[in-house]
Amino acid sequence: GESNNAGCSTDREGGLLAQNVCPECGECVATVALKIQVCCVDYDQLMANSTLLGLFEDACLRGILRSVPAGIGPEDVRLLTAPGSVQVFATITPPANVSMAALIEATERAPAIAAAMSAELQALRELE
């Protein structure tokens, strides 16, 4: 994984192409799924503080958006968190103006996504 200067790390597993059913139209939609492990964060404490959870999710989202093609916005990314330090699962649905190939290429650059998320989370940590 990528380490930041605070000794924390962010590990990311590859962008997986997936097919999901759109809840609005019922059609299959191609998405890219990411699994990112954020170390040095207590999952239970994060879940117990909705303000901190919101800030954490915003920082993760900003890190992901810094690493994907232009044209993908917050509305195109869905985040879920789970225990294991903190596991962040991101599902990205590219809008019509972003090619799936460009999104897959961007998500295959694991160090770039990990570094961007680490930077955003470090900035959040400095606000504490």
Side-chain angles (χ1 to χ4, degrees):
E2 291 293 309
S3 291
N4 63 29
N5 57 10
C8 295
S9 65
T10 306
D11 291 326
R12 177 226 176 251
E13 292 182 10
L16 302 172
L17 182 61
Q19 292 287 330
N20 293 301
V21 176
C22 172
E24 295 174 9
C25 67
E27 294 182 16
C28 278
V29 178
T31 62
V32 171
L34 303 173
K35 177 185 170 195
I36 304 149
Q37 181 176 9
V38 181
C39 298
C40 304
V41 177
D42 185 297
Y43 178 80
D44 293 330
Q45 286 183 340
L46 190 62
M47 293 298 113
N49 184 329
S50 61
T51 301
L52 186 58
L53 177 60
L55 292 170
F56 175 85
E57 289 177 341
D58 287 347
C60 290
L61 181 61
R62 285 191 308 272
I64 291 168
L65 291 176
R66 285 174 46 183
S67 307
V68 295
I72 294 177
E75 66 280 1
D76 303 314
V77 180
R78 187 180 58 150
L79 295 177
L80 297 171
T81 55
S85 283
V86 177
Q87 302 282 332
V88 177
F89 298 93
T91 303
I92 305 169
T93 305
N97 63 334
V98 176
S99 76
M100 180 59 76
L103 177 58
I104 291 170
E105 181 182 332
T107 59
E108 287 176 345
R109 292 191 299 266
I113 293 174
M117 282 189 62
S118 289
E120 292 292 339
L121 291 168
Q122 182 63 33
L124 175 62
R125 182 169 274 190
E126 290 169 3
L127 292 176
E128 293 176 351

